[in-house]
Amino acid sequence: MSNQMKALVKARAEVGLSMERAPVPEIGAYDVLIRINKTGICGTDVHIWNWDDWAQKTVPVPLITGHEFAGEIVELGKNVDDLTIGQRCSGEGHLIGKKSRQSRAGKFHLDPETRGIGVNEQGAFAEYLRLPAFNVMPLPDEIDDDIGAILDPLGNAVHTALSFDLVGEDVLVTGAGPIGIMAAAVARHVGARHVVITDVNQDRLDLAARVVDLFPVNVAKQELREVEGALKMSQGFDVGLEMSGNQMALDQMVENLVMGGRIALLGIPPGKSPVDWSRIVFKAITIKGVYGREIFETWYKMIAMLQNGLNVRDVITHRFDVDDFCIGFEVMRSGLSGKVVLDWNKLNSST
Ligand code: NAD
Ligand code: ZN
């Protein structure tokens, strides 16, 4: 193996990413080296590409970006004895510390010292990724690399959707981005009664309806109440999954929830936004903030659900060879796509 590889790097403090040569990472005793096969482009990567305020404050330069991946283990650290070379895998991109009370209690996803690959640490948009063996999630044969590359956002969807009991419940998902659509698929899979998804982007709603058996509502054109009436829902939704980060969507969710309803918030608003707290108090609504995925409970649950009929494949709308990453990012930035997956096997390593 050459000790050089190609990687998609935020090389300068400006808009865009570039394909650069970088050293193949050296692994420590408890790490593995993963050869990357496929990667997913995330909204976070688009923020980093756009070099917005958040990215400028968060991302060190230079940095190999990317955190959604599927690949194969090609090297084991000397103390790694529970994984094998050739094992196909994805992995948790949150690198956790082991010192906090939360970590010591086994609540790894709540560790305050978490660092993200492709955000704070060298990432997965590369031929090779170093990852602690602890973070590796082996992939069963029936989960191919396309799905392996989107397990990270599917994990966000699963963790959010499983925040509350959905069996027999009427569920409102606001925001038909890739994560909203996958959360709707999970709600349907685990036995929700009605699943309604809202957006203001008709393409996204059309995609949602192709992927999941649900009721899409374009809230720029249609009243949510009309749909509730058509579905014979008399008191509103039982559970809301907020997946847009949009203030109006949250307001609408609170307005359309039953007394005692429950909301899981995954969407990240761009800044501080006004909330009608008295409405939330008088409706006795429970709100849960959701960050990342449970390490590793969400991973086990989502793999089990995928093996048991959960189908999110059609949320991947575009596949490109990684040499065409610029087109991939353009498609993501257009808002007209679902997930975009890049194939690293066809990389032109010579240039
Ligand atoms: P996305 O930006 O692709 O999708 C958001 C969707 O919300 C878009 O389709 C947009 O048109 C829609 N929207 C805008 N205004 C709306 C309104 N008034 N009503 C309904 N929908 C509206 O995002 P994504 O990649 O699917 O991620 C979903 C959200 O989750 C984003 O806010 C993202 O930042 C956040 N996120 C959070 C975490 C976490 O750990 N908390 C992790 C990943 C993503
Ligand atoms: Zn992601």
Side-chain angles (χ1 to χ4, degrees):
M1 193 199 305
S2 145
N3 60 359
Q4 288 281 302
M5 64 175 187
K6 291 182 90 179
L8 270 182
V9 179
K10 175 61 84 178
R12 286 167 291 280
E14 61 188 32
V15 175
L17 295 176
S18 50
M19 190 65 88
E20 307 276 342
R21 290 206 170 275
V24 172
E26 282 180 21
I27 62 167
Y30 294 94
D31 297 331
V32 300
L33 190 68
I34 297 168
R35 186 169 60 78
I36 299 295
N37 288 331
K38 304 254 172 107
T39 53
I41 303 180
C42 179
T44 303
D45 304 320
V46 175
H47 287 291
I48 296 174
W49 176 287
N50 292 343
W51 205 230
D52 62 14
D53 285 351
W54 169 83
Q56 291 183 28
K57 277 189 219 128
T58 314
V59 176
V61 176
L63 183 86
I64 299 173
T65 53
H67 58 271
E68 302 180 359
F69 69 92
E72 185 181 318
I73 297 175
V74 290
E75 195 185 333
L76 299 171
K78 72 176 170 38
N79 291 344
V80 178
D81 54 12
D82 54 345
L83 293 167
T84 50
I85 290 185
Q87 171 69 60
R88 292 177 53 253
C89 67
S90 181
E92 174 58 54
H94 287 160
L95 309 180
I96 52 144
K98 303 265 170 64
K99 295 188 184 133
S100 68
R101 175 175 174 180
Q102 293 92 324
S103 272
R104 286 167 62 85
K107 298 175 193 164
F108 300 123
H109 65 294
L110 300 179
D111 176 51
E113 280 151 26
T114 296
R115 296 178 64 73
I117 65 167
V119 178
N120 321 106
E121 302 281 341
Q122 300 300 339
F125 285 170
E127 287 178 271
Y128 297 97
L129 168 72
R130 172 186 52 213
L131 198 70
F134 177 78
N135 286 52
V136 169
M137 181 48 70
L139 290 178
D141 291 345
E142 56 279 30
I143 296 187
D144 63 23
D145 288 338
D146 277 9
I147 297 298
I150 64 165
L151 288 180
D152 170 289
L154 176 59
N156 297 134
V158 168
H159 182 24
T160 313
L162 299 188
S163 292
F164 301 112
D165 180 8
L166 300 183
V167 178
E169 304 287 44
D170 293 331
V171 177
L172 174 64
V173 181
T174 47
I179 303 182
I181 296 175
M182 290 192 283
V186 174
R188 169 59 67 229
H189 183 77
V190 301
R193 185 172 73 147
H194 297 310
V195 180
V196 173
I197 196 163
T198 64
D199 206 295
V200 289
N201 174 336
Q202 191 58 43
D203 286 295
R204 287 246 158 123
L205 290 165
D206 294 345
L207 175 63
R210 282 200 300 278
V211 179
V212 190
D213 171 21
L214 48 61
F215 299 91
V217 181
N218 188 334
V219 285
K221 296 186 183 149
Q222 195 183 1
E223 288 294 326
L224 203 45
R225 292 265 179 237
E226 284 172 33
V227 180
E228 289 171 48
L231 294 175
K232 302 199 170 24
M233 289 167 47
S234 53
Q235 292 188 52
F237 293 91
D238 302 295
V239 177
L241 309 175
E242 207 309 289
M243 303 280 184
S244 74
N246 185 286
Q247 165 65 39
M248 272 153 55
L250 179 59
D251 278 350
Q252 196 164 38
M253 181 173 276
V254 170
E255 206 51 45
N256 287 277
L257 230 56
V258 294
M259 285 285 297
R262 293 146 291 160
I263 295 178
L265 280 182
L266 183 89
I268 302 171
K272 285 188 182 176
S273 46
V275 175
D276 186 352
W277 288 108
S278 63
R279 191 94 185 99
I280 290 167
V281 171
F282 288 127
K283 271 195 148 178
I285 286 171
T286 301
I287 299 188
K288 179 189 172 198
V290 182
Y291 174 60
R293 296 148 296 279
E294 283 189 11
I295 306 171
F296 285 88
E297 190 59 10
T298 304
W299 288 87
Y300 288 109
K301 290 229 191 257
M302 73 180 149
I303 286 174
M305 284 191 283
L306 287 166
Q307 289 175 314
N308 189 24
L310 174 66
N311 186 355
V312 292
R313 187 172 301 280
D314 289 345
V315 94
I316 303 173
T317 52
H318 296 78
R319 295 171 173 82
F320 299 102
D321 294 351
V322 70
D323 290 319
D324 293 328
F325 69 92
C326 285
I327 310 174
F329 272 86
E330 213 171 283
V331 168
M332 271 298 280
R333 293 167 84 207
S334 73
L336 298 177
S337 70
K339 286 303 290 184
V340 176
V341 169
L342 300 176
D343 187 344
W344 286 78
N345 291 310
K346 314 234 180 81
L347 176 74
N348 180 356
S349 323
S350 58
T351 49

